[in-house]
Amino acid sequence: MTTTPTDPNAAAIDIQDLHKSFGQNEVLKGIDFHVGNGQVVCIVGPSGSGKSTLLRCVNRLEEPTSGKILVEGIDITDPDVDIDQVRSRIGMVFQQFNLFPHMTALRNLTIAQQRVRKRSQDEAVEVARRNLEKVGLADREDAYPAHLSGGQQQRIAIARALSMDPDMMLFDEVTSALDPELVGDVLAVMKQLAGEGMTMMVVTHEMGFAREVGDNLVFMDEGAIVEQGPPMRVLSDPQHPRTQAFLSKVL
């Protein structure tokens, strides 16, 4: 099983000529870009442009049709790769919170640590409490998801991903299901992670977050990267007519 990085100086994520089709529908049409260690890359674009599919290919929740994805130098499209080992380095947070409804916040954070990381209960609880504190919910460890707001549930989901000690985080439109007044608390946690040097790929509609936190902004449309560059430049002076049209509607 291939699990050892081939290059210690490799990009965190390197995507090469990535294609993904669902039947006759080609959703990704030759994606090329990389995410450097410690970088925050924000991916924006209209619904159906392939953003979430791209993100899901990075940890093989979707199987690429062709092309390569290297994660810390490991080709995760190699049929011999130990994908579970690679996935253990990649935290992912979804639009839907996916918490276990019958478990407390604390237990939601400890179960995978014990089963996947093989940590003792005491160690898992210690890690979980540290991450609950990081997301500002140390006082809600005994609460069940039904007794938490959407924003609190999403912060619990982020804490759960962090409790697995990932090298990088993938965020898939994590604020789009939240009431507007709850979005800020979730974005604040993500800004904190970026400030601590976490490598992040973020599919988002939050242009203010992209401008403030992103190192690179990628605009996708119809399965292709239309434009990318520093967020301030792309948002204030988009070069491609399709980017211009999109941003004129969302800014």
Side-chain angles (χ1 to χ4, degrees):
M1 290 289 185
T2 306
T3 57
T4 304
T6 55
D7 178 1
N9 299 312
I13 302 167
D14 188 15
I15 298 171
Q16 303 172 9
D17 195 26
L18 181 67
H19 292 256
K20 173 62 182 177
S21 297
F22 296 97
Q24 297 299 309
N25 182 24
E26 189 176 23
V27 178
L28 298 177
K29 303 173 182 177
I31 301 294
D32 287 284
F33 83 102
H34 73 275
V35 182
N37 287 295
Q39 278 194 328
V40 177
V41 174
C42 295
I43 304 167
V44 303
S47 296
S49 57
K51 307 183 300 295
S52 293
T53 300
L54 171 61
L55 209 65
R56 292 169 67 85
C57 283
V58 171
N59 65 356
R60 290 250 314 265
L61 288 176
E62 297 288 357
E63 288 292 333
T65 302
S66 65
K68 279 188 175 184
I69 303 173
L70 304 178
V71 174
E72 297 179 325
I74 302 167
D75 180 2
I76 68 167
T77 55
D78 184 332
D80 292 329
V81 75
D82 183 346
I83 191 60
D84 290 331
Q85 178 67 29
V86 176
R87 280 189 184 131
S88 71
R89 305 175 188 181
I90 307 172
M92 186 159 184
V93 185
F94 301 87
Q95 180 177 338
Q96 303 303 325
F97 322 124
N98 296 332
L99 299 177
F100 294 114
H102 61 292
M103 295 181 183
T104 64
L106 186 69
R107 185 60 178 145
N108 264 283
L109 268 65
T110 59
I111 184 170
Q113 291 188 66
Q114 291 178 264
R115 293 186 177 179
V116 179
R117 289 292 191 190
K118 306 302 182 186
R119 289 174 177 157
S120 68
Q121 181 173 341
D122 287 348
E123 184 182 5
V125 166
E126 180 182 344
V127 170
R129 284 180 171 152
R130 186 165 65 241
N131 284 301
L132 285 172
E133 184 173 358
K134 180 188 286 282
V135 301
L137 291 170
D139 60 337
R140 303 310 305 274
E141 68 172 51
D142 294 325
Y144 289 87
H147 300 140
L148 298 167
S149 72
Q152 289 172 329
Q153 290 185 63
Q154 194 59 288
R155 284 187 281 154
I156 295 291
I158 294 172
R160 177 178 59 184
L162 292 174
S163 293
M164 300 299 285
D165 296 333
D167 295 340
M168 63 196 73
M169 292 281 286
L170 312 179
F171 293 92
D172 189 9
E173 298 190 15
V174 296
T175 59
S176 60
L178 302 179
D179 292 333
E181 67 267 23
L182 302 176
V183 168
D185 290 338
V186 174
L187 294 180
V189 171
M190 295 168 65
K191 289 176 186 176
Q192 179 185 347
L193 292 176
E196 293 170 356
M198 176 66 76
T199 303
M200 294 160 58
M201 276 182 73
V202 184
V203 172
T204 185
H205 296 292
E206 302 290 340
M207 299 300 163
F209 173 86
R211 180 186 285 111
E212 183 180 347
V213 180
D215 296 296
N216 194 30
L217 181 69
V218 174
F219 173 69
M220 289 183 64
D221 188 41
E222 296 184 349
I225 293 176
V226 174
E227 187 168 349
Q228 62 178 308
M232 286 291 288
R233 200 276 300 159
V234 175
L235 293 172
S236 62
D237 185 26
Q239 301 298 301
H240 194 282
R242 185 67 190 92
T243 319
Q244 293 167 4
F246 175 78
L247 292 177
S248 72
K249 295 176 180 177
V250 301
L251 290 179

